[in-house]
Amino acid sequence: MNPFARAASVAALTAALSVTATSVPISASAADTATATGGAASAHPQRWSAAWSAPMMRPSAAPWFRTWAVQGFDHQSVRQVVRLGTGGKAVRFRLSNLYGTTPLRLSGASVGRAADGAAVVAGTVLPLRFGHRDSVVVPAGGEVLSDPVPLPVAARDRVALTLWFDGPTGPATYHQLSMTTTYQADGDHRADTDAAAFTDAVRPGYGSWYYLGGVEVTGGRPVGRAVVAFGESTTDGFGATVDSDDRYPDLLAERLTAAGRPRPVLNAGIGSNKMLADSACAGDSALSRFRRDVLDRPNVGTVIVSHGMNDILRSGDQICGVDRDDPPVTLQRLIDAHRALIRAAHARGVKAVGATLMPFGGAPFWTAQTDRLRRDLNEWIRTSGAYDAVADFDRAIDPEGTGAIPDGHHAGDHLHPGPLGYRVMADSIDLDSLR
C-alpha cells in the first residue's frame, strides 16, 4: 500500500546537459528562478539556492569498492543522507537519469531529517512529489525537479531522501565516491523512521549517491553566492572520514559560517577524474562537465578549480581497464584547458580561483617527470594571473617544498590528504577571494 497516495498530473523537467570535450559553451540557466512546480514559467517565480550537489557519473564497476550502480534496484527502497550547505523554509530535489538508456520509473519518495545511520527523526517524514504526484518517469538522458517540500532546514542540517522503485531500474546514474553511507531495503519503506529494514549498506566502503544530483532551498535568510569546489579525488574527499563531512569543501563552509559569511560550498569533485579525457569509470572530463556541474548550479559566485593531477599521473583510461592511446599530456595542453574553464566562468560572471596541485612524493607511481609537470603547472597557476585568485594548497601542506605531504596529513598513500590535510587545505583559502 502506498502511504502517500494522491492523484494529480506529472511534470518532468528534462535537460540536455552535455558539453563537448573541446569547448565549454555557455547558455543561460533559469535554475535560480524556476517555479515551485518543476521549472515551468510563472508570474511569481521563487528564488532558489543550491544547498548541496553531486556530479553525476555513468554506471560502472568501481575499481576500488562495491557499488550498486551496475545492477541498479528492483522492488527496493534506497535511503541517502546529505548535509545541506544553506537553509530555507522549503527544499526540492534534482534527480538525474543522465546516463540512463531507458526511462527511469520512480514509484515514490520521501524526505525527513536524518538521525543516526538509516534512521529518520520521528514526525519529520514527508512525501516527495512531482507535479503533485507520487511517481514520476525520468527520461533517458534527463532529470526531474521535485515539487517543494515544506521542511524548514538550516545550514549543516542532514536530510534523508528515500527513493522507492517497484520495478527494475537498470544500471543507475550515480556519484561513485560519497564518503557517506547509503542504505537499501527490500520493499517500500519510505515512511519508516527506524532503520530496521535498511539492512544492506556497502561496508566496509566509501558509499555512493544514486540519481541524486542536487538539493535546493528557498525562503531562508540571505546568504552569499555559492562556492563550487571543482576537482578530483582531493576535492571529492577520498581519505576523509566516512559519514563525518570533513572533506575540504565541508571545512571551508564551516570557516565561512564561523567568520559570519555563511554560504553553501558545493562539492563538484570526482575521484580519478581527468581534465582532458572522459573515463569509463571516473566521469566525463573537466572540460565536458564544467557547465553542468558548476555553471548551471543556482546562484554560483565562485569556482575553485583543482584539476590536472590524474592527467599527469595516468595515461589513457587504464584505471578503468580500458586500453586506449590518448595524446600525450603536456604543460601547454593543461594550461589551455585551465584557460577554457576560466573563460567559461567569466562569461557567466563567476569568479575563478585556481588551486595548486598537492605534492605526492612517496606515492608508488611518483616519478621525477610527473612531479616536474605538477610543479610547472603549479607555477603557472601561481604566477600567470589567469585566475582571479590562487588557493595554494601545495605550499600550505608542504611549506618547505619537500614534494611530499607530511606524515599525519595524508591518508596513508602519500597522495590523498587525511582529515588533517583537508583542514590545512580549507584553512589556506583566503575568504576574501570568494565572491
Side-chain angles (χ1 to χ4, degrees):
M1 179 178 178
N2 183 344
F4 302 124
R6 286 187 186 175
S9 62
V10 173
L13 175 67
T14 61
L17 297 174
S18 62
V19 184
T20 68
T22 56
S23 65
V24 188
I26 306 302
S27 65
S29 172
D32 59 346
T33 55
T35 67
T37 57
S42 169
H44 303 286
Q46 290 180 286
R47 186 163 186 85
W48 291 86
S49 296
W52 178 90
S53 68
M56 292 289 94
M57 302 169 64
R58 61 181 51 83
S60 65
W64 311 276
F65 55 90
R66 183 171 71 95
T67 79
W68 299 319
V70 173
Q71 74 262 32
F73 307 97
D74 187 2
H75 290 86
Q76 290 168 319
S77 297
V78 183
R79 182 162 286 177
Q80 308 180 76
V81 177
V82 300
R83 190 182 77 168
L84 304 182
T86 189
K89 296 179 181 178
V91 297
R92 67 182 185 185
F93 295 79
R94 291 185 179 270
L95 302 181
S96 176
N97 191 26
L98 180 61
Y99 297 102
T101 57
T102 60
L104 170 71
R105 178 178 172 79
L106 174 66
S107 305
S110 69
V111 61
R113 297 184 183 280
D116 294 334
V120 179
V121 176
T124 69
V125 178
L126 295 168
L128 187 67
R129 295 197 172 97
F130 305 83
H132 307 290
R133 293 192 63 177
D134 292 322
S135 64
V136 70
V137 176
V138 190
E143 68 174 10
V144 297
L145 184 63
S146 79
D147 298 347
V149 178
L151 180 69
V153 292
R156 298 180 56 79
D157 277 357
R158 296 165 63 249
V159 297
L161 174 70
T162 307
L163 305 178
W164 156 237
F165 303 100
D166 69 358
T169 64
T173 294
Y174 80 135
H175 182 81
Q176 188 178 99
L177 179 69
S178 66
M179 301 303 296
T180 302
T181 306
T182 290
Y183 305 89
Q184 183 176 253
D186 292 332
D188 182 2
H189 293 279
R190 285 173 290 161
D192 290 16
T193 57
D194 63 72
F198 292 89
T199 57
D200 193 6
V202 178
R203 295 193 184 102
Y206 303 100
S208 302
W209 285 303
Y210 300 89
Y211 303 115
L212 180 54
V215 185
E216 297 165 11
V217 299
T218 191
R221 293 181 179 178
V223 296
R225 296 173 69 184
V227 176
V228 181
F230 184 72
E232 309 158 299
S233 54
T234 53
T235 300
D236 209 1
F238 186 88
T241 310
V242 176
D243 293 325
S244 293
D245 296 307
D246 55 7
R247 316 162 191 83
Y248 106 72
D250 303 313
L251 301 175
L252 174 59
E254 292 178 2
R255 279 191 66 209
L256 285 162
T257 299
R261 307 181 186 185
R263 68 186 65 191
V265 180
L266 309 178
N267 194 324
I270 294 180
S272 296
N273 193 230
K274 288 192 171 187
M275 191 88 163
L276 302 171
D278 295 346
S279 170
C281 70
D284 294 344
S285 73
L287 290 173
S288 298
R289 68 187 185 88
F290 188 68
R291 183 183 70 181
R292 179 180 72 231
D293 292 341
V294 178
L295 302 181
D296 284 350
R297 299 296 176 181
N299 198 29
V300 172
T302 304
V303 60
I304 303 172
V305 178
S306 175
H307 230 303
M309 181 66 90
N310 288 307
D311 301 79
I312 292 170
L313 294 182
R314 299 183 179 94
S315 61
D317 201 19
Q318 297 170 350
I319 196 169
C320 303
V322 176
D323 186 15
R324 73 184 189 201
D325 292 324
D326 288 346
V329 174
T330 65
L331 177 62
Q332 191 59 54
R333 290 187 69 209
L334 290 171
I335 289 174
D336 289 346
H338 276 273
R339 288 191 183 277
L341 300 186
I342 295 167
R343 287 194 300 271
H346 287 170
R348 287 282 187 89
V350 173
K351 189 173 185 179
V353 176
T356 55
L357 301 182
M358 304 281 278
F360 65 109
F365 32 77
W366 181 95
T367 69
Q369 180 180 5
T370 54
D371 193 46
R372 181 75 266 160
L373 184 52
R374 178 192 68 88
R375 290 174 185 266
D376 288 346
L377 180 60
N378 282 352
E379 190 63 16
W380 177 84
I381 291 169
R382 289 188 189 105
T383 64
S384 68
Y387 278 102
D388 300 305
V390 174
D392 204 339
F393 294 158
D394 177 36
R395 286 182 176 167
I397 200 78
D398 180 27
E400 302 302 321
T402 67
I405 299 175
D407 288 342
H409 287 74
H410 61 76
D413 60 1
H414 300 273
L415 176 63
H416 297 94
L420 289 178
Y422 284 123
R423 172 62 68 182
V424 170
M425 292 172 68
D427 287 349
S428 72
I429 296 171
D430 180 4
L431 300 187
D432 289 335
S433 71
L434 308 177
R435 176 172 295 163

